[in-house]
DNA sequence: TATAGCACTATACTTTAGTATAGTAGTTAC
DNA sequence: GTAACTACTATACTAAAGTATAGTGCTATA
């Protein structure tokens, strides 16, 4: 009936399950309206809360705070509190966070190509 | 005051605006709960509506129909109606849609690496 | 004393996304 | 005639995501 054995099928299943997990992890960095702008801004260097707020138009402090917590939990961003007066807090990408640039790069690349070929199909 | 000229600043802005558009285009393929599963399934070859429904656990026909329309509009998927009896409809990835595999690949790659380094940080 | 800056939090609300359930219109098989 | 298959659509609902607005506790400056 089938060309592949039961064992092979199990292996394929395990493999694709791992892939799904990996893709989901990636999605956690980019889902929602504000995560990509935040990561994008932090790719230019560490920033304070207010700096990010000014960098990202229309974001509310509630959303910024929420998404930063999320990114911190997912190991994308670190939060450092300095006991200066008043306190300053710095947000910085982790190594994983920085390496996300590679993903962004292919997203840009694909997006540009897709735009080009979509234009081609309209003519 | 600043190290770069006004002209240079304008160029940077234009460039980053293009990048934002490109990334947004990419996001349109992957946002929501069901687009990635659909594209993922179609990467294994063209499928009929019911086949996709069976392939993707828990998806409702409403969502499948909606997301397929969305993907069609965005030039990721083509819809072909055959006037057999009863009608059969086939969904297939466009060239752009197929090339999206590259993006998925780096997403998997990054996700796997991120998982590894996150584990490392826990120990 | 008033105003402003920093780094948020709280509450209430609206909007968007997704679900549940049923139904349409055709054909084929029992 | 009734059940099942295909490819959906319609309506009503819930859940999740995001917004608006105000407020906290601190300090520094005018």
């Amino acid at each position: 009936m089938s060309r592949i054995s039961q064992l092979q099928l199990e292996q394929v299943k395990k493999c694709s399950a791992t892939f799904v997990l990996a893709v989901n992890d990636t999605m956690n960095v980019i889902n929602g309206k504000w995560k990509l702008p935040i990561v994008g801004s932090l790719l230019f260097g560490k920033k304070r809360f207010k700096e990010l707020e000014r960098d990202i138009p229309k974001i509310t402090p509630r959303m910024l705070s929420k998404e930063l917590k999320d990114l911190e939990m997912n190991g994308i961003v670190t939060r450092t509190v300095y006991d200066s007066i008043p306190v300053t807090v710095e947000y910085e990408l982790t190594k994983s966070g920085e390496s996300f640039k590679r993903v962004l790069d292919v997203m840009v690349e694909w997006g540009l190509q897709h735009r080009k070929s979509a234009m081609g199909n309209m003519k």
Side-chain angles (χ1 to χ4, degrees), chain A residues 89-123:
Chain A
V89 181
E90 269 183 359
Y91 294 93
E92 194 174 5
L93 290 178
T94 61
K95 274 198 177 169
S96 252
E98 270 179 49
S99 74
F100 193 79
K101 191 178 179 308
R102 282 189 298 117
V103 184
L104 250 133
D105 284 343
V106 280
M107 285 176 75
V108 168
E109 200 192 304
W110 184 87
L112 290 175
Q113 280 218 352
H114 176 56
R115 230 152 220 267
K116 244 200 286 179
S117 68
M119 291 296 165
N121 290 342
M122 280 175 196
K123 280 177 195 168

Side-chain angles (χ1 to χ4, degrees), chain A residues 53-93:
Chain A
E53 217 183 320
R54 277 189 286 261
D55 241 40
I56 302 161
K58 306 246 175 184
I59 197 169
T60 60
R62 184 189 192 275
M63 273 298 121
L64 182 54
S65 168
K66 192 185 154 293
E67 298 299 56
L68 281 170
K69 260 178 206 152
D70 231 72
L71 290 168
E72 201 193 343
M73 279 211 323
N74 281 317
I76 312 298
V77 156
T78 55
R79 180 178 185 269
T80 316
V81 183
Y82 297 95
D83 55 355
S84 55
I85 292 168
V87 285
T88 51
V89 181
E90 269 183 359
Y91 294 93
E92 194 174 5
L93 290 178

